[in-house]
Amino acid sequence: MSNPPSEYYAEERWNNWLDRLREEEIDPENEDSARLLLNLQDDTAIAIAKIVTDWEDGEIDEEQALEELAGIRDIVLSEVEFDDEEKLMLIDGVQTSLVCVFYAAEEFIAGGPAEEGTVEDYIRAAADAEAEDDADTALAYCAQAGTLLFDGEELDMDVAEEIEYGLVAEWVNGLDSLSTALADPEVIDEDE
């Protein structure tokens, strides 16, 4: 087994990232700051990808996979306390991006990949749903796109340029992290 139970992602790991964010001067326009936020997001996506991969490989059963995902979700999506409002907004953006990755993993484990359409079709459908103020349907479409990523399809980020900034754009950002995690599931060093 590649990871002992409950060691895919620990609360201490998340807190280490948050401590780094507290210590750093964060400017989203600065490449190093943007890289830190992206590494934080990618690190979580890698843990999620490893759980799904271990489940597919039969190293853990469905129940354990879903429990592991729930445990990471509880850590990563819990309310974060920051004195700096701008940093709090940036963390919220990372958390929002990861919501879709969690749903996609759960959906893939529970029901497999979406049966019809492409990743881009589902993302466009999500954008249309968001335009109609239907966030739940938009999230469901993005999760379906994510199931296809778990099934080996790739994400063409050109589709992101077609989308207005909003929840779907954030979720696609998360799917991009998932796509990267599935292609190169190497743990990111918290010191990078």
Side-chain angles (χ1 to χ4, degrees):
M1 187 181 275
S2 61
N3 286 315
S6 301
E7 290 193 19
Y8 288 96
Y9 199 89
E11 189 165 5
E12 180 182 356
R13 189 167 183 86
W14 176 250
N15 288 332
N16 288 344
W17 284 109
L18 295 181
D19 288 345
R20 281 211 41 215
L21 283 171
R22 283 184 184 95
E23 294 164 10
E24 303 265 338
E25 287 295 319
I26 300 294
D27 174 5
E29 303 301 313
N30 174 294
E31 189 175 328
D32 288 340
S33 292
R35 170 69 37 210
L36 178 60
L37 289 164
L38 187 60
N39 283 347
L40 164 68
Q41 183 170 303
D42 287 354
D43 191 45
T44 305
I46 288 168
I48 293 168
K50 284 185 175 187
I51 292 169
V52 173
T53 300
D54 282 355
W55 169 76
E56 283 186 297
D57 292 345
E59 294 184 29
I60 59 175
D61 63 20
E62 180 176 332
E63 182 181 352
Q64 185 180 356
L66 293 173
E67 283 176 12
E68 293 289 350
L69 288 170
I72 296 174
R73 185 179 54 238
D74 288 347
I75 293 167
V76 173
L77 299 185
S78 65
E79 193 170 328
V80 174
E81 298 202 13
F82 267 85
D83 294 332
D84 184 322
E85 281 296 313
E86 190 170 331
K87 287 182 182 180
L88 194 57
M89 280 179 34
L90 294 170
I91 287 289
D92 185 60
V94 167
Q95 290 174 314
T96 300
S97 295
L98 289 168
V99 164
C100 179
V101 180
F102 283 110
Y103 276 112
E106 290 165 356
E107 184 109 358
F108 183 74
I109 290 170
E115 305 233 345
E116 299 173 11
T118 65
V119 172
E120 290 74 24
D121 290 339
Y122 281 106
I123 290 171
R124 287 186 187 99
D128 291 344
E130 183 178 27
E132 306 270 323
D133 291 324
D134 188 350
D136 290 342
T137 299
L139 178 56
Y141 280 133
C142 282
Q144 290 294 305
T147 65
L148 293 172
L149 295 177
F150 281 116
D151 196 42
E153 288 198 30
E154 294 186 14
L155 171 62
D156 179 354
M157 280 304 286
D158 288 347
V159 73
E161 294 172 17
E162 304 169 17
I163 299 170
E164 300 267 331
Y165 182 75
L167 285 173
V168 172
E170 292 272 16
W171 294 329
V172 169
N173 187 5
L175 292 176
D176 186 38
S177 286
L178 175 60
S179 183
T180 301
L182 291 166
D184 183 22
E186 289 304 312
V187 173
I188 295 170
D189 184 359
E190 296 162 66
D191 298 328
E192 278 183 30

